[in-house]
Amino acid sequence: MNSVLKQISVFTLSILVILLFTNSAFGQNNNKLSDTENGGFLEINTGILALNSRYIDAPENAGVIADLRFSYYWRGFFLENRGHQGIGFPGVGYNFYNEDTWMLDIFITETHPSILWDNEIDIENGVLNEQDGLIGIRPRESDDRIALRATRFIDDTTALRFLIAPISDTNGIAEVSPYLAVWYGKTWQYQNINFHSIYSAQYYNTSTLQYYYGVTDEDVSEKFQPYKAHSGVSLSAEFGMTYPLSADWLFESSVKLTRLPDNIHNSPLVSGRLESQAQISLTYVIF
């Protein structure tokens, strides 16, 4: 119980510290994230990603990436994937309030990725080889949740976003499994270079972290000893830049550091307390 209270206190403190920046900030909702008119944008992003994974025995990967970044609204319904510059996760939803400095959505998103290795050492769905060290561990499904998402626009370059998702179905049945997250994002410009920074805190309850990082009787082996995970808070910071090469082409670079919850970095599935990644890429703006 003390551990749970400690983690919730850390999460609450993180929110309060960020809110200190908003106490005197009032104004019109003119942040680009607040645009919910019908329509959107579509971009193709390709580049190189270097990843130092959280998983045990994972190689320090560097490989080519290619993905679509988009946002599209239609009568309040939307789908979005803003990539590394996004404040929060990709997903689909419905915007039911957008006035003054607040925007509220019903949002469906993945709050934790799957672990897809099975006992036959097969690769499913093109899983990255960052999970090579988890051969023999039974698969963990992704944690997909329906959430309430609230965004507070501080000014036209700064936003604070909250996500509250109390129900999970990772075990095949809906159960109360609280998940809370907050992001603080800011952009600024120097000459022709646009910079951004994003800070986040995510609270996972005990059943969620036990599902992904615990070792039960089904997983115990000579390599993986029994382990019980508890609730915790993950913290991350990202910094990046964008330089326009032309009207349709952008050069981008970013680095991100994630500090894992205290009580899972000792899990047999995890190699350390920190996870890091760096990316350089080119983006083509389709519309």
Side-chain angles (χ1 to χ4, degrees), residues 27-36 82 87 98 100-101 103 151-161 185-187:
Q28 296 301 310
N29 186 350
N30 55 0
N31 190 294
K32 66 178 181 179
L33 289 173
S34 69
D35 184 7
T36 58
R82 297 178 182 267
I87 303 179
N98 188 3
D100 298 325
T101 59
M103 184 169 74
T151 308
R152 164 73 158 92
F153 300 102
I154 301 170
D155 55 39
D156 60 352
T157 64
T158 312
L160 187 66
R161 174 162 282 172
K186 183 172 182 61
T187 64

mmCIF file of all heavy atoms in Angstrom, residues 27-36 82 87 98 100-101 103 151-161 185-187:
data_model
loop_
_atom_site.group_PDB
_atom_site.id
_atom_site.type_symbol
_atom_site.label_atom_id
_atom_site.label_comp_id
_atom_site.label_asym_id
_atom_site.label_seq_id
_atom_site.Cartn_x
_atom_site.Cartn_y
_atom_site.Cartn_z
ATOM 1 N N GLY A 27 -6.237 32.876 -22.496
ATOM 2 C CA GLY A 27 -6.272 33.421 -23.843
ATOM 3 C C GLY A 27 -7.136 32.594 -24.750
ATOM 4 O O GLY A 27 -7.872 31.721 -24.307
ATOM 5 N N GLN A 28 -7.049 32.853 -26.026
ATOM 6 C CA GLN A 28 -7.876 32.173 -27.002
ATOM 7 C C GLN A 28 -7.254 30.836 -27.381
ATOM 8 O O GLN A 28 -6.052 30.635 -27.296
ATOM 9 C CB GLN A 28 -8.049 33.054 -28.242
ATOM 10 C CG GLN A 28 -8.782 34.347 -27.962
ATOM 11 C CD GLN A 28 -10.164 34.088 -27.391
ATOM 12 O OE1 GLN A 28 -10.925 33.300 -27.939
ATOM 13 N NE2 GLN A 28 -10.490 34.753 -26.295
ATOM 14 N N ASN A 29 -8.107 29.931 -27.826
ATOM 15 C CA ASN A 29 -7.680 28.600 -28.236
ATOM 16 C C ASN A 29 -7.166 28.661 -29.672
ATOM 17 O O ASN A 29 -7.889 28.365 -30.616
ATOM 18 C CB ASN A 29 -8.877 27.657 -28.127
ATOM 19 C CG ASN A 29 -8.487 26.228 -28.395
ATOM 20 O OD1 ASN A 29 -7.381 25.949 -28.830
ATOM 21 N ND2 ASN A 29 -9.399 25.321 -28.137
ATOM 22 N N ASN A 30 -5.908 29.063 -29.859
ATOM 23 C CA ASN A 30 -5.354 29.181 -31.210
ATOM 24 C C ASN A 30 -4.173 28.248 -31.438
ATOM 25 O O ASN A 30 -3.433 28.398 -32.384
ATOM 26 C CB ASN A 30 -4.945 30.629 -31.497
ATOM 27 C CG ASN A 30 -3.974 31.164 -30.454
ATOM 28 O OD1 ASN A 30 -3.608 30.451 -29.522
ATOM 29 N ND2 ASN A 30 -3.566 32.411 -30.606
ATOM 30 N N ASN A 31 -3.972 27.269 -30.568
ATOM 31 C CA ASN A 31 -2.951 26.254 -30.773
ATOM 32 C C ASN A 31 -3.350 25.376 -31.960
ATOM 33 O O ASN A 31 -4.525 25.068 -32.143
ATOM 34 C CB ASN A 31 -2.818 25.408 -29.502
ATOM 35 C CG ASN A 31 -1.628 24.493 -29.534
ATOM 36 O OD1 ASN A 31 -1.577 23.569 -30.338
ATOM 37 N ND2 ASN A 31 -0.679 24.731 -28.652
ATOM 38 N N LYS A 32 -2.367 24.945 -32.777
ATOM 39 C CA LYS A 32 -2.700 24.174 -33.979
ATOM 40 C C LYS A 32 -3.367 22.846 -33.623
ATOM 41 O O LYS A 32 -4.107 22.281 -34.432
ATOM 42 C CB LYS A 32 -1.452 23.933 -34.822
ATOM 43 C CG LYS A 32 -0.409 23.030 -34.173
ATOM 44 C CD LYS A 32 0.755 22.809 -35.118
ATOM 45 C CE LYS A 32 1.804 21.880 -34.505
ATOM 46 N NZ LYS A 32 2.916 21.646 -35.448
ATOM 47 N N LEU A 33 -3.130 22.322 -32.402
ATOM 48 C CA LEU A 33 -3.788 21.090 -31.998
ATOM 49 C C LEU A 33 -5.286 21.273 -31.822
ATOM 50 O O LEU A 33 -6.040 20.304 -31.804
ATOM 51 C CB LEU A 33 -3.185 20.574 -30.678
ATOM 52 C CG LEU A 33 -1.772 20.008 -30.736
ATOM 53 C CD1 LEU A 33 -1.281 19.704 -29.347
ATOM 54 C CD2 LEU A 33 -1.720 18.767 -31.604
ATOM 55 N N SER A 34 -5.728 22.514 -31.656
ATOM 56 C CA SER A 34 -7.137 22.772 -31.400
ATOM 57 C C SER A 34 -7.979 22.819 -32.667
ATOM 58 O O SER A 34 -9.195 22.978 -32.600
ATOM 59 C CB SER A 34 -7.288 24.099 -30.653
ATOM 60 O OG SER A 34 -6.946 25.193 -31.497
ATOM 61 N N ASP A 35 -7.380 22.680 -33.840
ATOM 62 C CA ASP A 35 -8.097 22.763 -35.097
ATOM 63 C C ASP A 35 -8.892 21.476 -35.328
ATOM 64 O O ASP A 35 -8.326 20.421 -35.615
ATOM 65 C CB ASP A 35 -7.116 22.984 -36.243
ATOM 66 C CG ASP A 35 -7.815 23.181 -37.575
ATOM 67 O OD1 ASP A 35 -9.058 23.269 -37.573
ATOM 68 O OD2 ASP A 35 -7.126 23.247 -38.601
ATOM 69 N N THR A 36 -10.218 21.564 -35.182
ATOM 70 C CA THR A 36 -11.073 20.397 -35.367
ATOM 71 C C THR A 36 -12.018 20.565 -36.560
ATOM 72 O O THR A 36 -13.036 19.886 -36.652
ATOM 73 C CB THR A 36 -11.892 20.113 -34.096
ATOM 74 O OG1 THR A 36 -12.686 21.279 -33.788
ATOM 75 C CG2 THR A 36 -10.994 19.786 -32.921
ATOM 76 N N ARG A 82 0.514 11.592 -35.069
ATOM 77 C CA ARG A 82 1.388 12.740 -35.322
ATOM 78 C C ARG A 82 2.867 12.406 -35.160
ATOM 79 O O ARG A 82 3.713 13.289 -35.206
ATOM 80 C CB ARG A 82 1.001 13.893 -34.385
ATOM 81 C CG ARG A 82 -0.409 14.403 -34.622
ATOM 82 C CD ARG A 82 -0.797 15.506 -33.646
ATOM 83 N NE ARG A 82 -2.164 15.950 -33.846
ATOM 84 C CZ ARG A 82 -2.528 16.966 -34.623
ATOM 85 N NH1 ARG A 82 -1.603 17.652 -35.286
ATOM 86 N NH2 ARG A 82 -3.797 17.304 -34.756
ATOM 87 N N ILE A 87 1.766 14.993 -29.030
ATOM 88 C CA ILE A 87 1.599 15.045 -27.576
ATOM 89 C C ILE A 87 0.628 13.935 -27.190
ATOM 90 O O ILE A 87 -0.583 14.109 -27.216
ATOM 91 C CB ILE A 87 1.080 16.414 -27.117
ATOM 92 C CG1 ILE A 87 2.031 17.513 -27.579
ATOM 93 C CG2 ILE A 87 0.946 16.464 -25.608
ATOM 94 C CD1 ILE A 87 1.579 18.906 -27.196
ATOM 95 N N ASN A 98 -14.768 21.951 -27.474
ATOM 96 C CA ASN A 98 -13.583 22.683 -27.920
ATOM 97 C C ASN A 98 -13.891 24.174 -27.819
ATOM 98 O O ASN A 98 -14.285 24.808 -28.791
ATOM 99 C CB ASN A 98 -13.219 22.298 -29.355
ATOM 100 C CG ASN A 98 -11.885 22.892 -29.779
ATOM 101 O OD1 ASN A 98 -11.194 23.546 -29.001
ATOM 102 N ND2 ASN A 98 -11.513 22.670 -31.030
ATOM 103 N N ASP A 100 -12.708 28.040 -25.726
ATOM 104 C CA ASP A 100 -11.735 28.793 -24.938
ATOM 105 C C ASP A 100 -10.383 28.085 -24.974
ATOM 106 O O ASP A 100 -9.800 27.946 -26.019
ATOM 107 C CB ASP A 100 -12.237 29.004 -23.507
ATOM 108 C CG ASP A 100 -13.518 29.818 -23.473
ATOM 109 O OD1 ASP A 100 -13.659 30.720 -24.323
ATOM 110 O OD2 ASP A 100 -14.380 29.530 -22.631
ATOM 111 N N THR A 101 -9.914 27.604 -23.834
ATOM 112 C CA THR A 101 -8.581 26.999 -23.784
ATOM 113 C C THR A 101 -8.620 25.501 -23.480
ATOM 114 O O THR A 101 -7.591 24.909 -23.149
ATOM 115 C CB THR A 101 -7.720 27.695 -22.714
ATOM 116 O OG1 THR A 101 -8.368 27.570 -21.435
ATOM 117 C CG2 THR A 101 -7.518 29.165 -23.057
ATOM 118 N N MET A 103 -10.036 21.445 -24.691
ATOM 119 C CA MET A 103 -10.599 20.534 -25.674
ATOM 120 C C MET A 103 -10.755 19.169 -25.022
ATOM 121 O O MET A 103 -9.830 18.670 -24.372
ATOM 122 C CB MET A 103 -9.688 20.425 -26.910
ATOM 123 C CG MET A 103 -10.261 19.566 -28.026
ATOM 124 S SD MET A 103 -9.324 19.728 -29.581
ATOM 125 C CE MET A 103 -7.857 18.780 -29.164
ATOM 126 N N THR A 151 -7.278 18.402 -23.188
ATOM 127 C CA THR A 151 -6.138 19.205 -23.603
ATOM 128 C C THR A 151 -6.339 20.646 -23.172
ATOM 129 O O THR A 151 -7.383 21.242 -23.439
ATOM 130 C CB THR A 151 -5.947 19.163 -25.129
ATOM 131 O OG1 THR A 151 -5.905 17.796 -25.564
ATOM 132 C CG2 THR A 151 -4.654 19.860 -25.532
ATOM 133 N N ARG A 152 -5.361 21.189 -22.485
ATOM 134 C CA ARG A 152 -5.378 22.584 -22.024
ATOM 135 C C ARG A 152 -4.385 23.373 -22.863
ATOM 136 O O ARG A 152 -3.191 23.074 -22.871
ATOM 137 C CB ARG A 152 -4.995 22.648 -20.543
ATOM 138 C CG ARG A 152 -4.611 24.021 -20.030
ATOM 139 C CD ARG A 152 -5.832 24.929 -19.883
ATOM 140 N NE ARG A 152 -5.578 25.987 -18.948
ATOM 141 C CZ ARG A 152 -5.108 27.195 -19.269
ATOM 142 N NH1 ARG A 152 -4.788 27.459 -20.523
ATOM 143 N NH2 ARG A 152 -4.946 28.117 -18.346
ATOM 144 N N PHE A 153 -4.858 24.368 -23.611
ATOM 145 C CA PHE A 153 -3.990 25.180 -24.461
ATOM 146 C C PHE A 153 -3.533 26.402 -23.679
ATOM 147 O O PHE A 153 -4.341 27.246 -23.290
ATOM 148 C CB PHE A 153 -4.727 25.591 -25.726
ATOM 149 C CG PHE A 153 -5.169 24.413 -26.540
ATOM 150 C CD1 PHE A 153 -6.485 23.996 -26.514
ATOM 151 C CD2 PHE A 153 -4.257 23.715 -27.316
ATOM 152 C CE1 PHE A 153 -6.894 22.895 -27.249
ATOM 153 C CE2 PHE A 153 -4.650 22.616 -28.059
ATOM 154 C CZ PHE A 153 -5.976 22.209 -28.025
ATOM 155 N N ILE A 154 -2.233 26.473 -23.441
ATOM 156 C CA ILE A 154 -1.671 27.566 -22.661
ATOM 157 C C ILE A 154 -1.469 28.790 -23.537
ATOM 158 O O ILE A 154 -1.775 29.914 -23.162
ATOM 159 C CB ILE A 154 -0.349 27.122 -22.014
ATOM 160 C CG1 ILE A 154 -0.615 25.904 -21.117
ATOM 161 C CG2 ILE A 154 0.280 28.258 -21.228
ATOM 162 C CD1 ILE A 154 0.629 25.237 -20.618
ATOM 163 N N ASP A 155 -0.944 28.600 -24.735
ATOM 164 C CA ASP A 155 -0.848 29.652 -25.750
ATOM 165 C C ASP A 155 -0.734 28.955 -27.095
ATOM 166 O O ASP A 155 -0.972 27.749 -27.190
ATOM 167 C CB ASP A 155 0.326 30.606 -25.475
ATOM 168 C CG ASP A 155 1.653 29.874 -25.333
ATOM 169 O OD1 ASP A 155 1.887 28.906 -26.092
ATOM 170 O OD2 ASP A 155 2.461 30.260 -24.466
ATOM 171 N N ASP A 156 -0.373 29.675 -28.145
ATOM 172 C CA ASP A 156 -0.356 29.057 -29.464
ATOM 173 C C ASP A 156 0.841 28.154 -29.702
ATOM 174 O O ASP A 156 0.967 27.544 -30.768
ATOM 175 C CB ASP A 156 -0.438 30.121 -30.561
ATOM 176 C CG ASP A 156 0.725 31.099 -30.514
ATOM 177 O OD1 ASP A 156 1.507 31.048 -29.539
ATOM 178 O OD2 ASP A 156 0.858 31.917 -31.447
ATOM 179 N N THR A 157 1.730 28.019 -28.727
ATOM 180 C CA THR A 157 2.888 27.128 -28.875
ATOM 181 C C THR A 157 2.990 26.089 -27.763
ATOM 182 O O THR A 157 3.903 25.268 -27.776
ATOM 183 C CB THR A 157 4.203 27.936 -28.879
ATOM 184 O OG1 THR A 157 4.381 28.572 -27.609
ATOM 185 C CG2 THR A 157 4.193 28.972 -29.995
ATOM 186 N N THR A 158 2.076 26.104 -26.802
ATOM 187 C CA THR A 158 2.218 25.271 -25.608
ATOM 188 C C THR A 158 0.893 24.612 -25.247
ATOM 189 O O THR A 158 -0.160 25.248 -25.290
ATOM 190 C CB THR A 158 2.697 26.107 -24.408
ATOM 191 O OG1 THR A 158 3.812 26.901 -24.799
ATOM 192 C CG2 THR A 158 3.112 25.213 -23.252
ATOM 193 N N ALA A 159 0.952 23.316 -24.913
ATOM 194 C CA ALA A 159 -0.260 22.592 -24.542
ATOM 195 C C ALA A 159 0.040 21.583 -23.442
ATOM 196 O O ALA A 159 1.162 21.069 -23.324
ATOM 197 C CB ALA A 159 -0.858 21.885 -25.750
ATOM 198 N N LEU A 160 -0.988 21.320 -22.645
ATOM 199 C CA LEU A 160 -0.939 20.327 -21.578
ATOM 200 C C LEU A 160 -2.045 19.328 -21.840
ATOM 201 O O LEU A 160 -3.198 19.717 -22.050
ATOM 202 C CB LEU A 160 -1.148 21.014 -20.228
ATOM 203 C CG LEU A 160 -0.976 20.198 -18.946
ATOM 204 C CD1 LEU A 160 0.469 19.750 -18.784
ATOM 205 C CD2 LEU A 160 -1.423 21.022 -17.747
ATOM 206 N N ARG A 161 -1.715 18.038 -21.887
ATOM 207 C CA ARG A 161 -2.706 17.020 -22.248
ATOM 208 C C ARG A 161 -2.783 15.941 -21.171
ATOM 209 O O ARG A 161 -1.762 15.457 -20.682
ATOM 210 C CB ARG A 161 -2.354 16.418 -23.597
ATOM 211 C CG ARG A 161 -3.210 15.245 -24.029
ATOM 212 C CD ARG A 161 -3.086 14.997 -25.516
ATOM 213 N NE ARG A 161 -3.899 15.960 -26.269
ATOM 214 C CZ ARG A 161 -3.874 16.080 -27.596
ATOM 215 N NH1 ARG A 161 -3.045 15.317 -28.313
ATOM 216 N NH2 ARG A 161 -4.643 16.955 -28.218
ATOM 217 N N GLY A 185 3.802 19.867 -23.769
ATOM 218 C CA GLY A 185 4.529 20.071 -25.012
ATOM 219 C C GLY A 185 4.665 21.531 -25.368
ATOM 220 O O GLY A 185 3.740 22.324 -25.143
ATOM 221 N N LYS A 186 5.808 21.894 -25.920
ATOM 222 C CA LYS A 186 6.064 23.285 -26.303
ATOM 223 C C LYS A 186 6.871 23.311 -27.591
ATOM 224 O O LYS A 186 7.759 22.484 -27.802
ATOM 225 C CB LYS A 186 6.819 24.029 -25.201
ATOM 226 C CG LYS A 186 7.046 25.518 -25.521
ATOM 227 C CD LYS A 186 7.624 26.262 -24.344
ATOM 228 C CE LYS A 186 7.798 27.743 -24.669
ATOM 229 N NZ LYS A 186 6.515 28.397 -24.985
ATOM 230 N N THR A 187 6.552 24.271 -28.463
ATOM 231 C CA THR A 187 7.328 24.492 -29.683
ATOM 232 C C THR A 187 7.835 25.929 -29.712
ATOM 233 O O THR A 187 7.213 26.823 -29.124
ATOM 234 C CB THR A 187 6.476 24.238 -30.935
ATOM 235 O OG1 THR A 187 5.408 25.201 -30.988
ATOM 236 C CG2 THR A 187 5.893 22.842 -30.928
#
